[in-house]
Amino acid sequence: MNYNNPVQLQAAILDWAGTVVDFGSFAPTQIFVEAFGEFDVQVSIEEARGQMGMGKWDHIRTLCDQPQIAERYRKAFGRTPTDEDVTAIYERFMPLQIEKIASHSALIPGALDTLTGLRQQGLKIGSCSGYPAVVMKKVVELAATNGYVADHVVATDEVPNGRPWPAQALANVIALGIDDVAACVKVDDTVPGILEGRRAGMWTVALVCSGNALGLTYEQYQALAPDQLVAERKRIHALFEGSRPHYRVDTINDLPQVIADINRRLARGEMPQAV
C-alpha cells in the first residue's frame, strides 16, 4: 500500500464567531468586559480581544496574567488573581454569555450562499469554537434558525486541549471521515485558530475583516474609506504573520476562490505542511 497525496479538498473546518456568525466577533468580547466588571475590575474591549480564539477559561487566565489587569485585580482584592479567581470569573462569564449570545447570532452577510456553494462542490462543513459545549449548543440552535447547520461541531471543552492545540480540528477530521488532513482547510479569524489548523496539518485561511482583528460591525466595515481599509488590512496581515496562514482574505465570501486555488495546488502535488 502506497501513500498518495490528496488531489482536492474534502472539508472546510470553520470557526463560528467572526467567521460564519457575529460579524466583528462581539459576543465573546463584550461578555469578558461585563464578567470582569462584576468583580469591579475594568477590562477594555481592546484588551479582551487580545487573546480571542482560545478556550474561554484559558482566555480569562491569559487576561489575568497581563500586568495591568493583574494590578487592577490586586487593587480590588489585595492579591493578584489565582486559578480559583479565574474560575470564579469564568463561572460568571458563562451565564452572561448564554443569556446574550442571541444578540450577536446573525450570519455573516452572504455566508449561507457561500457555504451552500461549497457543499454543492462536495465539501463537508466541520466546525469548532473557543466556546464551551453549553454555549455552543445555543449558538448552533440560533444558527439553525437562520439556515446554517454544520456537519459537525466541536466545542473547546470536548477535547483535552483547545486552541492553539490541533485537537478540535482533528476531531472534525475523524467525525467527518476525512482520509487526509491535507484535504482540509481551516478557516478562522484569530491567530490561535490559524495555529490550530497549521498544527493539524491543514491548509489555513485567515479572515481579516469579518472577525476579531478588525472588530467592526458589518455596517462600519462597509463604511470604511478605501485608504482606511487598506491600512487596516496591512495592520491585520501583520498580526497574522507569525501564525503563517496560507491565505488571508476579507470574509468567508472570498473562500470559493481560495478553495479553487488550493485544489489546483493539490493537483500539482503541493501539500500544506510544505508551504
Side-chain angles (χ1 to χ4, degrees), residues 32 40 48 60 87 95 114 123 156 183 201 208-210 222 250 259 261:
F32 281 124
D40 295 320
I60 294 169
T87 297
T114 294
L123 268 73
T156 191
V208 172
C209 294
S210 65
Q222 291 287 92
D250 283 1
I259 299 292
D261 191 62

Side-chain angles (χ1 to χ4, degrees), residues 29-187:
T29 49
Q30 183 59 41
I31 305 307
F32 281 124
V33 172
E34 294 183 23
F36 273 88
E38 295 205 2
F39 289 81
D40 295 320
V41 178
Q42 181 182 4
V43 172
S44 70
I45 284 281
E46 291 72 22
E47 288 169 330
R49 287 190 181 280
Q51 304 300 320
M52 195 60 64
M54 303 174 72
K56 302 313 176 192
W57 190 98
D58 291 331
H59 190 142
I60 294 169
R61 175 71 272 177
T62 302
L63 287 173
C64 287
D65 288 341
Q66 294 185 15
Q68 74 277 16
I69 296 175
E71 177 60 18
R72 292 172 208 156
Y73 198 96
R74 188 194 63 76
K75 286 182 178 179
F77 293 95
R79 66 180 187 277
T80 56
T82 65
D83 282 355
E84 288 74 19
D85 296 322
V86 171
T87 297
I89 298 170
Y90 176 79
E91 288 175 348
R92 189 65 198 104
F93 170 89
M94 291 296 296
L96 284 171
Q97 186 73 91
I98 295 168
E99 175 188 341
K100 300 190 177 183
I101 199 76
S103 301
H104 303 282
S105 62
L107 296 179
I108 302 293
L112 191 57
D113 288 341
T114 294
L115 295 176
T116 298
L118 296 184
R119 280 196 161 113
Q120 289 170 348
Q121 295 178 40
L123 268 73
K124 296 179 180 179
I125 305 298
S127 69
C128 52
S129 172
Y131 287 134
V134 65
V135 177
M136 275 312 308
K137 180 181 179 182
K138 186 67 173 179
V139 172
V140 168
E141 288 174 356
L142 291 165
T145 66
N146 292 320
Y148 173 59
V149 179
D151 296 320
H152 191 63
V153 181
V154 181
T156 191
D157 58 348
E158 294 178 321
V159 295
N161 295 291
R163 302 163 179 170
W165 294 72
Q168 287 177 270
L170 295 175
N172 274 279
V173 171
I174 295 167
L176 296 173
I178 306 304
D179 61 25
D180 197 312
V181 292
C184 296
V185 57
K186 176 69 204 304
V187 185

